[in-house]
Amino acid sequence: MLRRPSIEDLNTVGHYLGRLVVGIGVAMLLPLIVSLVFAEWAVAIWFVIGASISFIVGYLFLLICPVTRDIKWLHGLIVVPIAWLVAMLLGAIPLYLSSHFGSFLDASFDAMSGFATTGLFLIQDIDHLPEGINFWRHLSHFIGGQGIVVAALTLFTRGMLPGAYTMYESEAREERVLPNVAQTARFIWMVSFTYLILGSTMLWVVGIFEGITPVRALMHGVNLFMAAFDTGGFAPQSQSILYYHSFPYEIAVIPIMLAGTLNFGLHYALWHNNRRELYRNIEILSLTTTIFLTFTVAALALTKVEAYSSSVSLFRKGFFQIFSAHSGTGFMTISARQFPQEWKSLAMGAVVVAMALGGSAGSTAGGLKALRIGIIFKTFLREVKRLISPPSAVIVETYHHLRDVVLEDKHVRNVMFISIAYFTSYTLGAYFAMYYGYSFGEALFESVSATANVGLTAGITSAKMPALLKIVFILQMWAGRLEFLSVSALLGTIIAGVRGR
Amino acid sequence: MRIIVTLFIVVVLGLLGPNLAEAVSSSELIEKAKDYDGEAIAYEGEVIGDVMRRNDYVWINVHDGKSAIGLWVRFSEAGEIQHKGNYKHEGDRVRAKGIFNRACPQHGGDLDIHVQELEILAPGYEIAHPVSWRQVVIAAVLSIIGGLMFLWERARKKRVQAGLE
C-alpha cells in the first residue's frame, strides 16, 4: 500500500528546499561581483534580479514551511531532485536576461546542463558573452559538480541535522569520506579550492605563454578549471579547447579532468599519503582499462579512415576526445560535425562507449561509473568460477575500493538497477532524436552525452533543435546526474500523493 | 602565341576565379573538409577573442556567423587587426586567402587555414550596452522584497529560539 505524504512531510521538504534555494541566491552574488569588476553594469542588474528572486522564493518556502525537525530518508530523496529543477529555473534567469537565448526553455537547458556538469549548450554567440555570464555558466559547473546540497550543507551546517546525509546521498555521492556529513562537505570544498588555485594558476600561466593577455588568460584559466575539474564541458569560447590551438593547453587540462573524474574518497586517501590505494582501487583499474580499450578502438578506426597523419595528431584529437568523453567532461579539440563527417561510425562508437561508461563513483563524472563496471566484471568472474566449481564450493569474490569488500548480491542488485536505468535513458533519448529525423549514430551519441553528463556533441544540440527534444535532454541530464534513484523516489511520491492513502 | 597564352590565362582564372573570389563558409569547409583539403580558398568573418602570438605567427579565430575557424597568420600580416570580438567589441571583419587544411600536420591535426593574404574588410567597433532603467527598477523592487523577507525570516527564527512561537 502506498502512503500518501502528510502535511508534515511536505513542510519538511519545503523547508529544506527553501534553504537550498537561498544557497542559489548566495551563489549568484559571485558573478555579480565579477560583473562589477569588469564594469558590466547591465549584467550586474541581471544578477541582482536573479539573486533577489532566489531569495524571495527561498524565504517564501522557509516562511510557509517553518520546520526545524530533522529530515528522513524519503524527504532527502524528494528534496534533492526538486531542488535541482528549481535551481535550473532560477539559474536560467540571468542567462535569459542576457538575450543570448532564443527562449527561456533554452536558458533553462543551459542552466541544467551547467548544474548537471553536462556541457551541452543552446546559447548563441558565445564569443560575445560578458565575463559575468561566462563566469556564472562555469560556476554552475562548480556548484553542481560539488553538489548543490554539498554547497548548501557547508553554508548552513549549524542548522542542518544529521539526516541531511540522505540529501548528500541523493546527489549520487556514495561515500561518506568523513564520519560527519558536514565535515565531508567541507573536505570536498577544501580539496576543490586547493585544486582551483593550483589548476587556475597553471592554466593562467599557460594562457599568457600562448599569447593571451593576462586578465583574459586569468578568466579563461578560472573558467576552464571549473569546467574541467567538475567534468563539465562549458568553455569560454564557441570552439571549446580548439580555440587555443595549443598543445600545452590541452596537456594542462588533462590532469585537471583526471582529478575531477576520481572519487573523492580516493582524493582523501591520496591527501593522507595513502598511495597504495592508487594501485589497488578497483575504480582506477577499471578506468585505466576502459580508457585504454576505447582509445585503442578509436585509434584503429581513425587510422583506417586516414583521419590523422601523425601520432601527435592522433593523440591531440583521438586521445583527447576519448579522455574527455570517458571523464565526462566534454571538452573538444575538433568541430562537432567532424565526428560524423570524419571520425565515422567506429570511432564515434568508441566515444559513445567511453561516454556511457563514465568516470568514478563519488566524483563529478556521469555515466555508469568505473566502480560499477568493476563490479560487473567481478560478478562475471564469480559466475564463471561458480560454473566450473563443484556445487558444494563456496565462491567468494572480493574487490578493493577504499577497503576490501566482499562482493554480495546487494551490490550486484544496485549495479543492475542503475545500469538498466542508464541504458533505458540512453535508448529512449536516441529514439526521441530519431523521431525528429536524426540518424541512429548521431541520435545515440547525443542521448548518451546528455544522460552521462558529458557534453560532447555531434551537432544535434543547437537552438534549432525541436522543443520537445530539448525537454527530453533536460530530463536526461537531470536524472543522469542524480543517478535515477532520487528521481524515481520523487515519481513514486507523486504517484503516492495521487493514489495513496 | 600571345593570343593562346592570354586565352590560357583567362581559362585558368575562370576556373580558379570563383574559388578565390567567393568566400567559402565555415559549415561548407567543415562538412566537405576532404574536398577542400590542401586547396587555396577565401574565407570571411569576424575576428573573435584573442590574437595569440606564436613566434613569427599568430593564431586568430574567425567566425563567419555559423562557426569559427582558426587562421594561422604571419605576425606582420595580423598587425592591422585592431578589434577582437568580445562583449564590448565587434571584431574586425576580415577576408583571408590561404590554404585550407582538414587535419593540419603542422598543428596537431587542427582544421585550419594557413593564411597567405589577410584583408580588413570593415574595422570593428565598440558595442554600447546601456543599462535598462526598467530592469533597474525591477531589480530594486525585488531586492527590497528579498531583503524584507530575509529580515522577517530572521525575526521569526529569533522568536522560535526565544520560545515565543
Side-chain angles (χ1 to χ4, degrees):
Chain A
M1 186 188 77
L2 291 168
R3 188 180 74 85
R4 182 176 287 178
S6 66
I7 294 291
E8 277 195 348
D9 289 329
L10 295 178
N11 259 343
T12 311
V13 168
H15 183 82
Y16 286 93
L17 194 58
R19 287 189 181 203
L20 297 175
V21 169
V22 170
I24 298 293
V26 173
M28 279 192 208
L29 300 180
L30 291 172
L32 168 64
I33 293 168
V34 171
S35 307
L36 294 175
V37 168
F38 284 94
E40 296 168 345
W41 313 120
V43 185
I45 299 294
W46 306 334
F47 284 107
V48 172
I49 293 173
S52 300
I53 293 176
S54 304
F55 289 135
I56 291 169
V57 173
Y59 286 121
L60 207 59
F61 272 116
L62 291 174
L63 288 165
I64 296 169
C65 312
V67 177
T68 49
R69 286 184 310 131
D70 189 15
I71 57 169
K72 296 199 176 86
W73 170 252
L74 188 65
H75 300 144
L77 282 176
I78 297 165
V79 168
V80 168
I82 300 174
W84 278 70
L85 289 178
V86 176
M88 171 190 79
L89 295 173
L90 296 170
I93 293 170
L95 296 179
Y96 180 65
L97 290 172
S98 74
S99 305
H100 280 264
F101 290 89
S103 65
F104 192 76
L105 175 65
D106 289 10
S108 302
F109 182 99
D110 275 31
M112 179 56 86
S113 180
F115 286 125
T117 72
T118 307
L120 290 170
F121 61 84
L122 301 179
I123 196 167
Q124 295 164 35
D125 197 14
I126 289 186
D127 301 303
H128 288 97
L129 273 186
E131 294 291 353
I133 290 289
N134 237 339
F135 184 73
W136 175 235
R137 294 171 67 230
H138 293 85
L139 183 68
S140 67
H141 278 334
F142 203 52
I143 297 166
Q146 306 317 308
I148 289 171
V149 169
V150 171
L153 283 176
T154 325
L155 267 177
F156 306 112
T157 312
R158 258 190 326 155
M160 283 286 185
L161 299 162
Y165 182 63
T166 60
M167 294 204 287
Y168 172 78
E169 276 198 325
S170 306
E171 274 189 327
R173 288 193 178 277
E174 289 173 3
E175 283 80 20
R176 208 187 295 206
V177 180
L178 291 160
N180 178 311
V181 67
Q183 284 174 338
T184 302
R186 285 207 190 107
F187 173 75
I188 289 175
W189 279 115
M190 186 190 68
V191 170
S192 304
F193 276 115
T194 308
Y195 282 129
L196 172 70
I197 292 164
L198 293 175
S200 302
T201 309
M202 177 173 69
L203 291 173
W204 179 37
V205 172
V206 172
I208 292 170
F209 273 104
E210 292 298 83
I212 305 176
T213 57
V215 175
R216 276 182 62 83
L218 177 66
M219 289 311 292
H220 279 237
V222 172
N223 286 335
L224 281 177
F225 172 82
M226 290 193 285
F229 183 68
D230 290 283
T231 63
F234 283 160
Q237 304 282 157
S238 57
Q239 295 149 282
S240 190
I241 301 299
L242 175 63
Y243 170 83
Y244 305 98
H245 306 282
S246 163
F247 197 15
Y249 232 113
E250 289 157 24
I251 290 290
V253 293
I254 287 175
I256 302 173
M257 291 194 282
L258 175 65
T261 206
L262 292 183
N263 193 307
F264 263 91
L266 192 68
H267 279 291
Y268 185 78
L270 293 176
W271 274 57
H272 289 82
N273 246 339
N274 181 8
R275 289 193 193 147
R276 280 191 67 211
E277 190 62 37
L278 260 186
Y279 313 112
R280 297 180 64 207
N281 195 300
I282 189 172
E283 281 197 301
I284 297 293
L285 297 173
S286 165
L287 203 57
T288 312
T289 309
T290 51
I291 288 174
F292 174 76
L293 290 176
T294 46
F295 174 60
T296 304
V297 173
L300 289 172
L302 291 172
T303 308
K304 188 165 181 285
V305 297
E306 296 175 350
Y308 303 107
S309 57
S310 71
S311 51
V312 174
S313 302
L314 199 59
F315 177 83
R316 288 184 62 181
K317 303 301 171 192
F319 181 77
F320 191 92
Q321 257 58 232
I322 287 289
F323 193 81
S324 174
H326 215 312
S327 65
T329 310
F331 280 158
M332 294 171 80
T333 56
I334 61 171
S335 295
R337 293 298 300 162
Q338 284 183 276
F339 276 124
Q341 292 296 339
E342 292 179 27
W343 278 47
K344 309 289 182 194
S345 315
L346 187 57
M348 267 180 85
V351 177
V352 170
V353 172
M355 291 194 291
L357 298 181
S360 299
S363 78
T364 63
L368 278 176
K369 307 274 167 63
L371 176 62
R372 297 195 185 104
I373 306 300
I375 289 176
I376 290 171
F377 179 72
K378 286 280 181 182
T379 308
F380 181 75
L381 270 186
R382 188 181 70 174
E383 294 311 306
V384 169
K385 281 181 190 169
R386 187 169 288 164
L387 270 176
I388 57 174
S389 304
S392 57
V394 177
I395 310 294
V396 178
E397 195 66 51
T398 60
Y399 63 89
H400 182 84
H401 176 57
L402 306 170
R403 59 193 164 85
D404 289 324
V405 183
V406 175
L407 183 66
E408 293 175 42
D409 284 345
K410 66 176 182 184
H411 298 131
V412 181
R413 226 178 10 252
N414 174 280
V415 167
M416 290 317 292
F417 170 77
I418 305 281
S419 304
I420 289 168
Y422 268 109
F423 280 114
T424 307
S425 177
Y426 293 155
T427 314
L428 283 178
Y431 275 122
F432 265 102
M434 282 193 288
Y435 172 77
Y436 285 106
Y438 297 106
S439 71
F440 172 72
E442 290 173 38
L444 186 67
F445 190 98
E446 220 77 359
S447 172
V448 171
S449 182
T451 307
N453 303 126
V454 179
L456 290 177
T457 173
I460 292 179
T461 303
S462 76
K464 289 179 199 154
M465 192 166 65
L468 183 63
L469 199 53
K470 291 174 188 173
I471 294 169
V472 169
F473 284 175
I474 287 175
L475 293 174
Q476 285 184 295
M477 292 190 277
W478 173 60
R481 174 64 182 85
L482 301 176
E483 294 199 333
F484 302 96
L485 189 68
S486 50
V487 173
S488 311
L490 176 66
L491 293 178
T493 308
I494 292 169
I495 293 167
V498 177
R499 297 180 54 190
R501 275 184 269 170
Chain B
M1 186 62 190
R2 278 175 67 183
I3 294 168
I4 294 170
V5 170
T6 313
L7 270 175
F8 177 77
I9 291 169
V10 168
V11 169
V12 168
L13 283 178
L15 288 172
L16 287 178
N19 270 342
L20 285 172
E22 276 178 44
V24 188
S25 71
S26 59
S27 37
E28 173 94 355
L29 288 172
I30 294 166
E31 293 285 339
K32 297 177 183 167
K34 280 204 168 155
D35 298 343
Y36 286 100
D37 195 18
E39 297 288 322
I41 55 120
Y43 177 69
E44 280 179 24
E46 181 200 354
V47 178
I48 49 153
D50 305 85
V51 174
M52 294 173 278
R53 187 162 183 185
R54 310 280 161 89
N55 298 321
D56 293 336
Y57 285 82
V58 297
W59 273 113
I60 57 171
N61 291 290
V62 173
H63 203 294
D64 72 344
K66 298 264 185 202
S67 303
I69 290 182
L71 270 55
W72 180 243
V73 190
R74 199 172 277 281
F75 177 67
S76 52
E77 286 263 359
E80 287 174 30
I81 296 169
Q82 295 295 318
H83 297 91
K84 286 91 72 179
N86 55 39
Y87 176 61
K88 292 185 177 174
H89 297 94
E90 179 73 21
D92 292 344
R93 195 166 174 78
V94 297
R95 178 186 174 83
K97 287 178 187 170
I99 304 298
F100 172 76
N101 298 295
R102 180 189 62 81
C104 179
Q106 189 190 338
H107 296 116
D110 280 4
L111 183 146
D112 65 17
I113 299 168
H114 286 206
V115 175
Q116 292 158 337
E117 196 185 317
L118 190 77
E119 182 190 351
I120 309 273
L121 296 177
Y125 50 87
E126 209 168 300
I127 306 170
H129 294 282
V131 175
S132 154
W133 288 105
R134 213 185 80 193
Q135 287 184 359
V136 172
V137 172
I138 293 170
V141 172
L142 289 174
S143 50
I144 289 167
I145 298 172
L148 287 173
M149 291 186 78
F150 166 71
L151 294 174
W152 188 8
E153 160 66 10
R154 268 189 67 175
R156 191 198 60 81
K157 235 181 191 173
K158 275 187 182 167
R159 281 204 308 275
V160 170
Q161 279 165 2
L164 297 173
E165 210 172 89

